[in-house]
């Protein structure tokens, strides 16, 4: 029997991507040449930025799972399902100079089959589910989506109790 857990978004507003390099520089975690560049931002950097961004309103707790070989992603399905069930926040994942957002996981306890509901965080456009799905910005991905020879880091933000 298959279990599916997905993130149900809450109304939180975050700054746009172009502001993130400046924020990370201001936090003294990135060099000046990072500002205005198109350099990659990984899960760790995103976690630091989110904590800084929301610190005025609440303390954002985060946890990380680091150095996950791509071929080990199916073994993380139960942990992701528990995260979605208890926290309800999206999981950012980075590796191989790529970044994605996992907003759901489906796994079959009998067969071990796993799929990840992956949202490309680079989407810019209308908040229209049909467009996002039809254009491939959101789709169920097999474990092979995460390159076996690459290591990944996942950022698992904890839902603030004040929301």
């Amino acid at each position: 029997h298959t279990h599916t857990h997905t993130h149900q978004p809450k109304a939180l507003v975050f700054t746009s991507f172009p502001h993130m390099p400046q924020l990370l520089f201001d936090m003294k975690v990135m060099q000046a040449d990072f500002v205005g560049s198109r350099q990659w931002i990984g899960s760790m950097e995103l976690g630091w930025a989110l904590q800084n961004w929301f610190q005025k309103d609440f303390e954002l707790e985060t946890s990380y799972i680091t150095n996950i070989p791509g071929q080990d992603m199916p073994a993380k399905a139960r942990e992701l399902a528990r995260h979605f069930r208890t926290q309800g926040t999206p999981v950012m994942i980075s590796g191989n100079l790529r970044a994605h957002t996992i907003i759901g996981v489906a796994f079959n306890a009998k067969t071990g089959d796993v799929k990840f509901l992956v949202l490309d965080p680079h989407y810019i456009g209308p908040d229209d589910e049909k467009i996002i799905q039809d254009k491939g910005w959101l789709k169920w991905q097999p474990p092979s989506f995460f390159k076996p020879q690459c290591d990944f880091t996942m950022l698992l933000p904890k839902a603030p109790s004040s929301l």
Side-chain angles (χ1 to χ4, degrees), residues 5-154:
H5 297 278
T6 59
H7 159 70
Q8 296 298 318
K10 296 185 179 183
L12 286 179
V13 177
F14 185 62
T15 187
S16 64
F17 176 81
H19 296 105
M20 240 188 265
Q22 181 67 49
L23 178 63
L24 291 167
F25 171 71
D26 292 345
M27 293 171 58
K28 301 189 183 346
V29 296
M30 300 304 261
Q31 300 296 321
D33 63 350
F34 185 68
V35 178
S37 76
R38 297 188 56 82
Q39 291 183 46
W40 182 69
I41 293 176
S43 296
M44 299 294 281
E45 295 86 0
L46 180 60
W48 299 331
L50 288 171
Q51 286 174 325
N52 183 281
W53 182 260
F54 289 121
Q55 73 183 352
K56 295 177 197 96
D57 301 314
F58 54 84
E59 182 178 344
L60 179 67
E61 293 183 49
T62 58
S63 63
Y64 298 90
I65 304 173
T66 61
N67 301 317
I68 309 162
Q71 71 266 16
D72 291 349
M73 282 299 293
K76 300 299 178 191
R78 289 182 192 272
E79 190 169 356
L80 286 169
R82 183 174 40 256
H83 173 81
F84 293 129
R85 191 173 50 254
T86 62
Q87 300 302 316
T89 60
V91 173
M92 281 59 76
I93 184 166
S94 61
N96 193 33
L97 297 179
R98 297 178 71 191
H100 299 284
T101 305
I102 301 174
I103 61 171
V105 62
F107 66 94
N108 184 310
K110 287 186 180 184
T111 66
D113 289 341
V114 177
K115 288 188 179 176
F116 302 91
L117 186 56
V118 177
L119 174 68
D120 188 327
H122 304 101
Y123 173 75
I124 297 173
D127 190 12
D128 182 321
E129 287 181 37
K130 183 166 176 30
I131 292 172
I132 293 168
Q133 289 178 357
D134 290 351
K135 300 285 185 178
W137 292 96
L138 173 70
K139 60 183 157 183
W140 287 101
Q141 297 287 2
S144 61
F145 177 77
F146 302 100
K147 304 287 184 222
Q149 68 277 19
C150 298
D151 284 346
F152 294 88
T153 297
M154 288 194 290

